[in-house]
Amino acid sequence: MPRPQWHAPWKLMRVISGHLGWVRCVAFEPDNQWFVTGAGDRTLKLWDLASGELKITLTGHISPVRGVVVSDRHPYMFSVGEDKLVKCWDLECNKVIRHYHGHLSGVYCCSLHPTLDVLCTGGRDSSVRVWDIRTKNQIFCLSGHKDTVASLLTQGVDPQIISGSHDSTVKLWDLAAGKAYATLTHHKKGVRALALHPNKYLFASGSADNLKQWKCPEGVFMKNVDQTPYRAVVNCMAVNHDDVMVAGYDNGSIRFMDWKTGYNFHTEQTRVQPGSLEAEAGIFDCCFDKTGTRLITCEADKTIKVWKEDENATPETHPIEWKAVAPGTEKRW
Ligand SMILES: *[C@@H]1O[C@H](CO)[C@@H](O)[C@H](O)[C@H]1NC(C)=O
C-alpha cells in the first residue's frame, strides 16, 4: 500500500429528529440550502442545511419511502417507495404532479440522469426501469438481474446506468441500446451500495464481502478496499472531492477511507438516541452535501446525523498508522 493521504477525522455536528420511522434515504438540492429525507413513516421531510430546521413535511406515499433525488435542472424532486410508487414532486407548489406506473413491487432506489430528462428506478421486481420524466412513458424495462435492485447510479458517459443487486452482481447498461454490456460478478454477497467518484472516471461498490473500486467505462476491477475480517452489510457509500470514501453499515458503523489507498483513517460507531433500542443502530443512507464538507447519515434510530471534519485535528494529533513494506510482501486481502 502506498502512503495514504492524510484526512482529518470526521465528528458528529448535529442530530436531527422528526421522523417517526427508520430514515431510509437522503438527497441534496443543487444550491445546497436544503436536503430531503424519506422514511419508514411514509413521509418526505425537507430540512434547512445551515440550521437543521424542518421546512416542510410531504405526505403521499402509503408505505416507507426508500429513495429520493432532486433535479439539478428542473424544480422537481422524485421519490420511490415500498408502495411501488414513483412520484414526481413540483417543488414550487410541493405537490405530486406525476406518477410513473410499472414496477410490480417495492421500489428501492432511483437516480436522475444528469443531462437527459430521464429517471431510473429499481426495486424488488429485479428490474431497472427508465422513465421519460415529462411524458411518464417507460422508455425501457431493463431486465437481467435475478434479485432486488438495491442501488443505482447514472452519469452522462458510459456506463450511463450502473445497478447493484441482491443477486451479488453489478451491471453496466448501455442506455441507447437498453441493454447491459457488462456484468461484474466479483462480489459474493448482495450489492446494496454504489458510489461514483465525483471527478475521476471511477466508481465503488459495497457488499458484505468487500468494498471494491472499478474503472469506467468497461468496469475493470481495480481493488478491494475493506480490510476488516468481520464484515457487516453495507447499506450506503459516498465519495467526496477530497478522496474521502465513506461506507455506512447495518450495524451502525461509519467507516471513512482514503480513496486511493483504501486506508481506513477513521471509524465511528453511531450512538442511538435515547428512547431507541440499542439494536436500532443502523446506517441506511449517507450523502455528502454539494461542497463535500458535510456528511448526512440516515439512521435506524429515526434520526438524521450531520458530520463534519474535526477542524482541530492535525497529522500530529491523528497520525497515519502506516508502515512501508517491501514490494511483494504486502498483506493480501
Ligand atoms: C460493524 O461492521 C464494520 C464493518 O464490517 C466493522 O468494522 C465494525 O467493527 C462493526 N461494528 C460492530 C459494533 O460490530
Side-chain angles (χ1 to χ4, degrees):
M1 181 158 80
R3 183 170 192 81
Q5 179 189 338
W6 185 82
H7 302 276
W10 287 60
K11 62 174 190 185
L12 183 62
M13 185 189 148
R14 174 175 284 141
V15 179
I16 301 176
S17 303
H19 275 299
L20 302 175
W22 289 357
V23 189
R24 303 299 308 235
C25 51
V26 57
F28 274 87
E29 62 100 9
D31 294 332
N32 215 38
Q33 299 296 304
W34 55 266
F35 61 93
V36 54
T37 50
D41 61 11
R42 310 187 295 263
T43 68
L44 290 149
K45 288 180 185 283
L46 274 55
W47 308 92
D48 184 76
L49 176 61
S51 67
E53 274 163 30
L54 179 65
K55 287 164 63 77
I56 190 167
T57 299
L58 301 175
T59 55
H61 279 283
I62 53 177
S63 299
V65 182
R66 295 292 295 263
V68 64
V69 61
V70 185
S71 173
D72 284 346
R73 301 186 303 129
H74 305 294
Y76 297 154
M77 172 173 92
F78 300 84
S79 63
V80 301
E82 290 175 19
D83 51 14
K84 307 180 207 170
L85 297 178
V86 178
K87 292 174 183 283
C88 173
W89 301 81
D90 183 329
L91 291 170
E92 277 156 6
C93 56
N94 292 315
K95 290 214 158 53
V96 175
I97 53 164
R98 294 180 193 111
H99 281 106
Y100 305 84
H101 298 284
H103 276 290
L104 305 174
S105 43
V107 193
Y108 290 177
C109 52
C110 58
S111 182
L112 261 182
H113 193 282
T115 54
L116 306 173
D117 283 341
V118 158
L119 173 73
C120 298
T121 56
R124 220 166 75 85
D125 66 7
S126 310
S127 70
V128 175
R129 293 176 196 252
V130 182
W131 308 94
D132 181 318
I133 289 169
R134 292 184 179 280
T135 65
K136 304 183 278 183
N137 289 335
Q138 182 178 291
I139 303 169
F140 291 117
C141 173
L142 305 174
S143 59
H145 278 301
K146 295 187 179 62
D147 203 340
T148 296
V149 176
S151 47
L152 271 177
L153 300 174
T154 51
Q155 58 182 349
V157 288
D158 284 330
Q160 297 196 51
I161 306 172
I162 304 171
S163 57
S165 165
H166 290 190
D167 70 10
S168 80
T169 69
V170 173
K171 285 183 183 282
L172 313 183
W173 303 87
D174 176 339
L175 178 57
K179 283 202 184 90
Y181 70 82
T183 301
L184 313 179
T185 57
H186 302 51
H187 280 294
K188 301 285 174 285
K189 301 272 175 65
V191 181
R192 292 162 194 253
L194 291 172
L196 279 178
H197 192 288
N199 49 33
K200 295 177 179 139
Y201 196 23
L202 309 169
F203 71 96
S205 59
S207 147
D209 62 3
N210 236 314
L211 309 180
K212 295 178 189 285
Q213 293 178 345
W214 312 87
K215 281 193 184 115
C216 296
E218 312 87 348
V220 174
F221 174 71
M222 287 170 63
K223 64 176 177 295
N224 286 325
V225 172
D226 195 354
Q227 56 279 62
T228 51
Y230 159 74
R231 299 188 181 105
V233 170
V234 190
N235 287 324
C236 57
M237 293 174 79
V239 187
N240 75 5
H241 290 81
D242 195 27
D243 270 346
V244 173
M245 180 168 91
V246 176
Y249 293 83
D250 224 30
N251 68 2
S253 272
I254 307 162
R255 287 158 54 87
F256 295 83
M257 288 151 278
D258 173 43
W259 171 274
K260 281 199 208 80
T261 56
Y263 174 68
N264 174 209
F265 65 89
H266 185 66
T267 302
E268 285 279 344
Q269 181 63 36
T270 197
R271 273 184 294 276
V272 301
Q273 294 306 296
S276 273
L277 301 172
E278 202 53 38
E280 285 185 292
I283 314 297
F284 291 124
D285 199 6
C286 59
C287 181
F288 284 106
D289 76 338
K290 297 287 176 182
T291 68
T293 61
R294 296 287 180 275
L295 175 76
I296 305 280
T297 52
C298 297
E299 309 210 0
D301 68 357
K302 309 184 183 92
T303 68
I304 298 151
K305 295 193 175 101
V306 187
W307 308 81
K308 65 171 184 177
E309 280 189 349
D310 181 348
E311 61 278 352
N312 297 319
T314 67
E316 287 67 46
T317 61
H318 293 77
I320 294 174
E321 289 163 31
W322 167 87
K323 272 202 281 307
V325 288
T329 63
E330 301 95 337
K331 193 166 126 206
R332 298 191 179 273
W333 30 70

